[in-house]
Amino acid sequence: MAYVTTPSQAEERLTSFADTWRFPEFEKLDSDQDVAGTPFYDEPGDRWCLLAEITDVSLCFASASLPATARVLDTSKLKIGHTIALLYPHQHDFLDGTQGVRVEDVITCRVFPVKLAGLFRINSDLCAYTGPLGTLKKCHSCGKEDPSVVKCGRCGLYYYCNKDCQTLEWNQKGHKEACRALKDPNLRALFKITVGEGEHRFQFPR
């Protein structure tokens, strides 16, 4: 468990995974076929990401379709119960009659070693307790509102009013798992998918 540090001078509002525009369900995705109707996402600056829990690891990514600059997907993380994030996906009708998402470039994919429900819980906690400078923060452990709360020195995103609350949260309330997941810069970037929206296309940093 890391020591706590004081809050930084500026923080950006995080994006909630409950935002169904930026984190839609599969049924809300546009088709990649020519179909009648107005596309759900039709502006160049639109940003969206499909989050899904892996229930079958029989996934295949054809290396022949990848550009030379594409990063290789870490297949060791493709495990049942982990969450996969797909940027800018569309529904695709496969030749065997099934529907899914066709991935042509793994640079748009990242896998996080946490269940989907756990990922939503982490995001919900952060959105509830993290905000712009000047807003009153709450301790993630006891819920007390206190202007003197300090950040977890490891992830820098969770707040605590004292070391006792931090220890309790770490040992009994699940922050150990959340802190480990938040070490991934791709997950941290996904929490801020709206930052710079309209200026450039969001990509995973690593």
Side-chain angles (χ1 to χ4, degrees):
M1 184 178 65
Y3 291 105
V4 293
T5 58
T6 56
S8 62
Q9 292 301 305
E11 297 169 15
E12 295 160 331
R13 176 68 65 183
L14 303 181
T15 304
S16 171
F17 287 171
D19 180 346
T20 56
W21 171 261
R22 296 180 177 89
F23 296 96
E25 296 180 352
F26 175 78
E27 291 74 15
K28 287 288 188 179
L29 298 178
D30 293 329
S31 171
D32 60 4
Q33 310 296 319
D34 291 329
V35 294
T38 303
F40 194 59
Y41 302 97
D42 57 0
E43 296 295 332
D46 284 345
R47 295 179 174 187
W48 71 98
C49 176
L50 177 66
L51 297 173
E53 186 169 315
I54 297 173
T55 58
D56 186 347
V57 295
S58 58
L59 301 175
C60 177
F61 296 92
S63 59
S65 67
L66 303 180
T69 56
R71 299 173 178 84
V72 177
L73 183 68
D74 184 358
T75 55
S76 67
K77 292 184 178 180
L78 289 173
K79 297 179 179 179
I80 293 175
H82 287 184
T83 299
I84 189 167
L86 305 172
L87 294 177
Y88 313 115
H90 293 81
Q91 290 187 19
H92 181 78
D93 295 322
F94 292 96
L95 294 178
D96 63 359
T98 61
Q99 275 192 323
V101 174
R102 181 179 179 181
V103 177
E104 296 184 346
D105 188 348
V106 295
I107 200 172
T108 64
C109 306
R110 290 296 181 272
V111 179
F112 305 116
V114 59
K115 289 182 176 294
L116 183 61
L119 203 62
F120 268 75
R121 183 170 57 252
I122 294 171
N123 176 260
S124 177
D125 285 346
L126 290 178
C127 288
Y129 299 125
T130 305
L133 187 68
T135 58
L136 195 60
K137 307 295 190 300
K138 292 182 179 180
C139 173
H140 276 79
S141 181
C142 69
K144 177 183 177 182
E145 291 186 344
D146 191 334
S148 63
V149 292
V150 288
K151 287 183 177 181
C152 169
R154 186 182 296 269
C155 70
L157 292 173
Y158 275 64
Y159 291 91
Y160 302 102
C161 56
N162 55 53
K163 290 296 293 292
D164 290 338
C165 277
Q166 185 187 26
T167 301
L168 181 65
E169 179 82 4
W170 181 269
N171 293 330
Q172 299 182 26
K173 296 186 177 181
H175 183 57
K176 184 176 182 179
E177 178 188 19
C179 207
R180 186 186 304 116
L182 289 169
K183 290 175 62 178
D184 190 332
N186 297 303
L187 179 58
R188 297 170 73 98
L190 198 60
F191 286 166
K192 298 182 179 181
I193 193 173
T194 58
V195 176
E197 194 169 33
E199 300 174 3
H200 55 82
R201 194 170 178 84
F202 174 85
Q203 292 183 332
F204 289 116
R206 293 173 59 180

